[in-house]
Amino acid sequence: MTTNAELAARFEEFADLLEADGVEYKPRAYRRAAENIRAHPAPIADRIEAGDREAVENIDGVGDAISSKVIEYVETGTIEELEDLRSELPIDIADITRIEGVGPKTAGKLYRELGVQTLDDLEAAAEAGEVQEVKGFGPKTEQNILENLEFARTVGQRQLLGEARPLADDVLAFLESIDAVERCEVAGSIRRWRETIGDVDVLAATDAGEDVVEAFVGWDSVDDEIESGPEKASVRVGESRVDLRVVVPEEFGAALQYFTGSKDHNVALRNYAIDREMKLNEYGAFDVSSEALRASSSRTESDDDIEDPESGQRVGERVAGETEDGMYEALGLPWIPPELRTDRGEIAAAERGELPALLVRDDIRGDLHTHTEWSDGNTDVAAMVEAAAERGYDYFGIADHAEGPGIVGGMGLSDAEILEYAEEVRAVGEEAEIEVFAGIEANVDADGEIDLSEEVIETLDVIVASTHSALDQDAETATERLVHALENPAIDVLGHPSGRLLNERSGLEFDATALGEAAAEHDTALEVNSNPRRLDLWGSAVQAALEKGAPISINTDSHRPATLEYMRWGVHTARRGWAEPDDVINTWGLADLREFLH
Ligand code: DGT
Ligand code: CA
Ligand code: CA
Ligand code: ZN
């Protein structure tokens, strides 16, 4: 079964190879299609196999031409045109373009001139001094390639948000300690809280840019300087690449908006601006209506608010740029939270005044899925409950593993052990300042069933049910399996629905809209598992489920007290899915939550 992720990867490769071949416009269209295919809530191959070709054409950015290639790939496992390109340009394009400064066009040139196909080929050519002989290259480029090769080899994978964000916080704290820095903020995917991060982008507002760049590359934590100039620098810190840009304070808001992305959001926003006779760039928002242009050309002396620093041309009146709020306000829009900037309807919602009032960390009143040493956790019930009380929660659920498919022998509790364990959880609960739920994490078997006795179901307060086995099912089977579990009145929360592990395994593919419908109908919550290796469900799936009215539960799946902090990742992931406080059952008061639970 072809997954959406696999399809997306093929079209990304396609885009790179087309660009390497010198083709214009098409690569961008293919990249956009790839992104929408990856984010699509339902498995596309399923629709094709069901004969529903229209469903493919209805995906944003996928027109006639691309949809016929999608269908060709699903039906035959290849795309003839892509195969032709691959034999014309047999390059490991994803690897080679990971080198800073080497894009698809450069990769194409290196192949045509020097026969470079792999990172190893490129290293050999650079070491032999052949790269600097190629037209358009020089000794400096060659040196740059050699310096960045090793790094390109080690950062094959995108980093987890949970690893990159703490580093970004450290970078911000360092920048804030520099006197010349007036404001600083993270940008890029990390500000959008994407679950994986290519590199960390930070932005500083200052009137002393070169000093700030110098201080940044001299920061204690920096392992290597990748490149630096008067307005920006890139460094390596451990496994991560950090890009700093410095801007003058008057342009900080414009730069922040631009460098936060996503690219798709920015393209859509720029088009929205053009329709309103405005122009946006990283320096500001400009009124380019004919009136403003007339006014600007009648002015004689140069006025810095009417020049585009990119082109030096007069482009009308600069109306915003110092704050990001102001950039959106200049278009008549409210500020759009970075988590929503994916071009999945946020600009239209902003225009209608219907942006969601996203939940925040403080709305969370408890965690419903955690573990203790009764199964595979590392502390006892009392220590977990104490840590939860310290966080100010009103209630807290322990959900240790029941035995069953996918659980290592001895790690899961039998029905008899569950009764004994529930008694201890209740005893700790009696003594605690907060409400403690005795729960269990049951195992959803390959058919969507769980295996718990009636007595156990009646005794427990919360039943989380998760898949730990048969994660290679096709999407149709997996959707049926999960919907079947959602229909089970005993189940309160469907835990980590896909079973994916980021950078490790893709987990189940399913139709998130169908899950959302079943969850809404049967009052079963879909989990956003906050473990940074999981983030399961993710933004686009949460959004699809919420459109059907599904209840959501954000839990940490903690196996030790410290990871109760993972709630941070879950909350921002749910925000990426447009979640408001009421959508999330563990923001509710105790009485409402009790009524929801089985
Ligand atoms: P990443 O690093 O792969 O996780 O993803 P981003 O989104 O952080 O991407 P990055 O680091 O390449 O660039 C940061 C932001 O800068 C990006 O989200 C949007 C903006 N940006 C960069 N290059 C371009 C561009 O060529 N066009 C537009 N419109 N925006 C760009
Ligand atoms: Ca980035
Ligand atoms: Ca970057
Ligand atoms: Zn668990």
Side-chain angles (χ1 to χ4, degrees):
M1 216 346 252
T2 312
T3 65
N4 291 353
E6 181 185 340
L7 267 170
R10 286 295 86 74
F11 281 89
E12 271 153 14
E13 182 192 354
F14 211 154
D16 282 352
L17 289 173
L18 284 166
E19 203 182 319
D21 206 17
V23 177
E24 282 188 84
Y25 308 117
K26 244 182 171 182
R28 196 185 142 79
Y30 279 37
R31 279 195 195 104
R32 169 150 175 84
E35 248 173 70
N36 289 325
I37 287 169
R38 177 169 278 122
H40 196 69
I44 291 163
D46 260 21
R47 304 310 320 148
I48 294 171
E49 271 154 30
D52 182 8
R53 286 156 184 256
E54 226 169 69
V56 185
E57 285 168 28
N58 285 339
I59 299 169
D60 264 359
V62 179
D64 266 349
I66 296 181
S67 77
S68 65
K69 294 190 176 68
V70 171
I71 292 163
E72 185 188 352
Y73 188 77
V74 169
E75 288 179 346
T76 68
T78 57
I79 303 168
E80 207 180 322
E81 213 180 302
L82 175 61
E83 291 302 330
D84 290 348
L85 258 175
R86 279 174 171 169
S87 35
E88 191 194 329
L89 296 168
I91 314 171
D92 287 351
I93 194 102
D95 280 0
I96 289 184
T97 53
R98 220 170 274 134
I99 298 176
E100 174 61 21
V102 180
K105 281 202 188 82
T106 309
K109 199 164 183 183
L110 288 166
Y111 171 70
R112 283 188 295 271
E113 302 284 336
L114 302 172
V116 166
Q117 294 178 281
T118 64
L119 281 178
D120 288 350
D121 293 351
L122 182 54
E123 181 167 36
E127 274 175 349
E130 292 167 358
V131 172
Q132 57 172 289
E133 301 299 329
V134 177
K135 192 160 173 265
F137 292 72
K140 210 169 150 231
T141 318
E142 187 175 76
Q143 191 54 35
N144 191 40
I145 286 173
L146 280 170
E147 277 168 13
N148 288 316
L149 248 161
E150 223 26 68
F151 190 51
R153 283 199 176 100
T154 57
V155 292
Q157 289 184 330
R158 297 173 59 83
Q159 256 194 314
L160 301 183
L161 174 67
E163 295 164 357
R165 178 75 212 202
L167 166 63
D169 292 337
D170 288 348
V171 177
L172 282 185
F174 172 72
L175 289 172
E176 274 161 10
S177 76
I178 302 174
D179 279 344
V181 171
E182 289 191 15
R183 288 195 59 190
C184 58
E185 188 50 271
V186 290
S189 53
I190 203 144
R191 184 159 180 250
R192 305 194 313 274
W193 301 84
R194 204 179 147 178
E195 63 262 48
T196 61
I197 304 294
D199 64 9
V200 174
D201 301 284
V202 287
L203 207 62
T206 176
D207 287 312
E210 294 192 39
D211 297 347
V212 172
V213 168
E214 194 183 325
F216 172 68
V217 299
W219 182 34
D220 283 351
S221 304
V222 167
D223 292 307
D224 273 316
E225 182 181 321
I226 300 168
E227 58 180 346
S228 82
E231 289 164 357
K232 57 181 185 176
S234 299
V235 300
R236 182 174 70 78
V237 180
E239 295 273 273
S240 309
R241 175 197 166 102
V242 184
D243 285 355
L244 167 75
R245 269 166 210 276
V246 292
V247 297
V248 293
E250 307 82 73
E251 289 169 358
F252 184 74
L256 184 58
Q257 197 291 315
Y258 181 89
F259 289 110
T260 295
S262 69
K263 279 183 194 164
D264 286 338
H265 172 82
N266 286 354
V267 168
L269 195 70
R270 278 203 301 271
N271 288 335
Y272 186 87
I274 288 166
D275 291 345
R276 282 152 190 82
E277 299 191 294
M278 297 281 291
K279 179 183 154 127
L280 297 186
N281 60 30
E282 59 201 282
Y283 310 104
F286 301 84
D287 181 348
V288 292
S289 63
S290 41
E291 264 162 64
L293 288 173
R294 247 196 322 276
S296 81
S297 62
S298 69
R299 264 176 272 188
T300 43
E301 62 223 55
S302 85
D303 204 331
D304 67 3
D305 69 358
I306 53 167
E307 266 184 24
D308 176 2
E310 222 173 16
S311 58
Q313 280 174 351
R314 296 188 164 198
V315 291
E317 189 186 357
R318 184 171 186 275
V319 294
E322 184 160 4
T323 67
E324 195 181 50
D325 265 40
M327 292 293 287
Y328 287 95
E329 202 189 318
L331 302 177
L333 295 175
W335 179 79
I336 299 178
E339 291 96 328
L340 302 185
R341 299 184 196 172
T342 53
D343 194 20
R344 281 201 310 264
E346 69 279 10
I347 295 172
E351 187 181 10
R352 293 194 306 267
E354 288 171 9
L355 283 175
L358 297 178
L359 95 153
V360 296
R361 172 73 186 76
D362 276 349
D363 293 321
I364 299 290
R365 299 171 77 163
D367 195 333
L368 301 177
H369 174 183
T370 65
H371 296 268
T372 72
E373 58 199 11
W374 274 92
S375 66
D376 56 354
N378 84 341
T379 50
D380 59 17
V381 176
M384 291 299 281
V385 169
E386 196 188 318
E390 269 169 25
R391 303 186 73 80
Y393 284 153
D394 296 338
Y395 45 76
F396 186 66
I398 309 267
D400 267 310
H401 288 284
E403 64 186 7
I407 301 302
V408 179
M411 273 301 175
L413 304 174
S414 67
D415 280 353
E417 286 164 333
I418 292 172
L419 296 174
E420 201 186 320
Y421 143 91
E423 224 167 276
E424 184 187 318
V425 175
R426 287 200 197 295
V428 172
E430 303 263 295
E431 302 294 312
E433 335 155 16
I434 60 174
E435 185 76 13
V436 178
F437 297 131
I440 199 79
E441 181 174 10
N443 306 289
V444 175
D445 73 13
D447 302 319
E449 299 284 341
I450 59 170
D451 183 20
L452 295 175
S453 71
E454 275 308 314
E455 188 186 6
V456 161
I457 291 170
E458 270 167 36
T459 302
L460 296 171
D461 304 308
V462 186
I463 296 180
V464 178
S466 321
T467 51
H468 295 106
S469 63
L471 298 179
D472 51 2
Q473 285 174 329
D474 65 66
E476 193 183 336
T477 312
T479 303
E480 275 172 25
R481 171 194 192 181
L482 297 176
V483 165
H484 188 69
L486 290 166
E487 288 165 352
N488 186 334
I491 297 177
D492 301 306
V493 177
L494 182 68
H496 51 71
S498 81
R500 76 171 179 181
L501 292 176
L502 291 163
N503 287 345
E504 291 171 52
R505 70 171 184 230
S506 53
L508 296 169
E509 255 207 297
F510 48 72
D511 179 344
T513 301
L515 259 57
E517 261 164 12
E521 185 182 344
H522 299 278
D523 277 337
T524 308
L526 297 172
E527 183 175 72
V528 172
N529 189 294
S530 311
N531 185 312
R533 287 174 62 212
R534 293 190 183 272
L535 295 180
D536 178 12
L537 297 173
W538 48 90
S540 58
V542 171
Q543 191 181 9
L546 282 180
E547 271 163 21
K548 297 294 170 190
I552 301 292
S553 180
I554 310 175
N555 303 309
T556 65
D557 199 354
S558 280
H559 288 65
R560 55 175 53 82
T563 56
L564 293 179
E565 186 56 33
Y566 285 171
M567 192 57 82
R568 185 186 192 196
W569 317 125
V571 165
H572 285 283
T573 299
R575 286 166 62 92
R576 286 171 63 81
W578 298 49
E580 301 191 330
D582 273 354
D583 298 325
V584 178
I585 63 168
N586 46 318
T587 69
W588 299 354
L590 187 57
D592 287 340
L593 180 58
R594 277 220 179 273
E595 204 181 303
F596 175 87
L597 298 175
H598 75 277

